[in-house]
């Protein structure tokens, strides 16, 4: 069956599930947190039920209700990670919802509003957590106003 850059598969059988959203660009990162599927990449539209919905590189879909919410990023989102009470997005962006947030941003999962900005000087390619530590890797030399070469 045709799928538009995203698919949902049954973990035991590998068969496609009925999730049929379609994206007009690539998806580089996915995260499920509760009822929300967070999607990052380089897309500008989500299509489902024959309707197009604007989305700028970072969105979330409620997997029970199909509600869609968007954060308008001015560059691709490459990685998404839950850390503590926040959802972090990293990538090649310098703006979120028309405000300056450079390469790393934290979102409140209740409101999908930005709560913190990494203020880096280069792309965040990957995020990983370990206990109370968030690791960020990429092509930056400073982040959160601290000198860090390629890893936070």
């Amino acid at each position: 069956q045709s799928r538009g850059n995203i698919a949902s598969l049954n973990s035991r059988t590998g068969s496609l599930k009925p999730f049929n959203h379609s994206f007009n660009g690539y998806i580089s990162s996915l995260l499920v947190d509760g009822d929300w599927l967070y999607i990052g990449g380089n897309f500008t539209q989500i299509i489902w039920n024959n309707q197009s919905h604007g989305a700028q590189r970072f969105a979330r879909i409620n997997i029970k209700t199909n509600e869609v919410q968007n954060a308008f990023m001015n560059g691709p989102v490459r990685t998404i990670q839950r850390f503590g009470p926040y959802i972090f997005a990293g990538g090649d962006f310098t703006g979120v919802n028309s405000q300056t947030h450079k390469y790393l941003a934290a979102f409140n999962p209740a409101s999908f509003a930005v709560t913190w900005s990494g203020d880096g000087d280069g792309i965040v390619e990957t995020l990983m957590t370990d206990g109370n530590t968030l690791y960020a890797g990429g092509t930056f030399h400073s982040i959160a106003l601290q000198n860090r070469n390629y890893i936070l």
Side-chain angles (χ1 to χ4, degrees), residues 105-129:
F107 292 80
N108 179 329
S111 64
F112 207 39
V114 177
T115 61
W116 179 85
S117 179
D119 285 330
D121 67 351
I123 299 168
V124 173
E125 297 280 357
T126 187
L127 296 169
M128 182 58 65
T129 61

Side-chain angles (χ1 to χ4, degrees), residues 4 9 45 48-49 54 63 72 74 78 84 88 91 111 116 127 131 142:
L9 304 169
Q45 289 182 349
W48 81 96
N49 294 334
I63 55 180
F72 292 92
N74 69 353
R78 299 178 187 267
F88 283 79
S111 64
W116 179 85
L127 296 169
S142 73

Side-chain angles (χ1 to χ4, degrees), residues 21-24 39 43-48 51-55 59-61 68-70:
H21 296 70
S22 182
F23 290 75
N24 71 336
I39 303 119
F43 51 84
T44 57
Q45 289 182 349
I46 304 170
I47 301 161
W48 81 96
Q51 294 181 342
S52 178
H53 302 269
R60 69 181 187 171
I61 299 172
V68 174
Q69 295 180 348
N70 302 296

Side-chain angles (χ1 to χ4, degrees), residues 31 79-84 86-88 126-136:
L31 172 75
T79 182
I80 308 166
Q81 186 67 248
R82 172 79 186 224
F83 181 60
Y86 303 110
I87 303 295
F88 283 79
T126 187
L127 296 169
M128 182 58 65
T129 61
D130 181 27
N132 63 356
T133 302
L134 174 69
Y135 294 95

